Each structure stands twice: as structure tokens, then as C-alpha cells.
Amino acid sequence: MPHHRALDKVTERYLGSAKVGTTGRGIGPAYADKVARVGIRAQDLLDPGIFRSKLELALREKNQVLSKVYNRTGIKLDDVCEEYAGYAARLAPHIADTVVVLDRALRDGKLVLLEARRRRCST
């Protein structure tokens, strides 16, 4: 999302010599939103009302940070909604409920490759 990229770049610049060395593509801020459970999901693109509502909430906070902390111009809601409507149309055929897709594949005897991190349990 544009606000993720903007925050990534401005925080990196702000850190100066202590910078992390990010790509500036907004990956860190996007993951932060995911962990905080405030991120916009791919399925939200399929409903313009839901997308706009979630984006409006996100920009309410992110634009405050951009403008008041970093003295940068905020992101315009309407501009992002218009841009992402095009992405929604293009991505729609590829967005699915993965639980249903995986269940169908397993029931049909197809092989399913999963990736996971190993966690150690302490007892």
C-alpha cells in the first residue's frame, strides 16, 4: 500500500546512520499492520465499500504519523481507491478462500505443498 512505502522510506531516512537498509517497498510496515491485525487483505479489494472503509481507517492514523511526526504530505484516500480498483479487477480471478481450495485439492487426491517454520516447544 502507498502508506507502507511512504512510512518505510521516511523512517529509514529519519534513522540516518542507524538505518536498517530496507528496500523502501513497505514490507516492514505492511507486516507490522498484519501483526497488529489492521492490515488490508486481498479479499478486501473485491468489495469497494469494505476496501474504502478499511483504507480510510488506516490512513487516518498513517497520515497523522506522516504529517505530524515526519512533516510529509498525507496519502489521499480517493487516489488510492481509484488506483487499487484497477488492481482489484486484475487480481479478482486469483483471490480465493484458500481453505476451500486446499480442501478440494486434498479431497481430489492432489499433492499439496506447505511451508511452515519449526517451533520448539518448552515443557
Side-chain angles (χ1 to χ4, degrees):
M1 299 297 298
H3 54 278
H4 294 134
R5 289 189 303 273
L7 287 166
D8 198 1
K9 289 176 184 174
V10 75
T11 54
E12 187 76 350
R13 261 186 262 130
Y14 180 79
L15 290 171
S17 63
K19 65 183 177 181
V20 178
T22 72
T23 62
R25 291 178 16 210
I27 296 167
Y31 273 108
D33 279 358
K34 179 179 179 173
V35 170
R37 296 184 177 156
V38 296
I40 296 171
R41 301 175 341 163
Q43 74 178 29
D44 298 333
L45 289 171
L46 302 179
D47 184 317
I50 290 173
F51 177 74
R52 184 179 189 86
S53 175
K54 286 188 169 188
L55 181 61
E56 186 174 20
L57 284 172
L59 290 180
R60 191 177 301 158
E61 175 200 350
K62 307 306 181 186
N63 281 341
Q64 290 292 316
V65 173
L66 285 168
S67 65
K68 293 184 177 174
V69 175
Y70 297 109
N71 197 29
R72 298 286 187 250
T73 304
I75 308 292
K76 294 181 180 171
L77 175 68
D78 289 335
D79 292 348
V80 179
C81 286
E82 184 179 326
E83 177 184 355
Y84 277 70
Y87 300 149
R90 190 170 173 195
L91 291 172
H94 307 286
I95 298 172
D97 183 343
T98 55
V99 171
V100 173
V101 172
L102 289 172
D103 182 61
R104 187 175 303 128
L106 292 170
R107 287 176 188 267
D108 292 345
K110 295 182 179 176
L111 293 176
V112 175
L113 175 64
L114 301 175
E115 179 183 351
R117 287 188 282 169
R118 177 183 272 186
R119 295 183 188 218
R120 292 189 177 161
C121 297
S122 58
T123 54

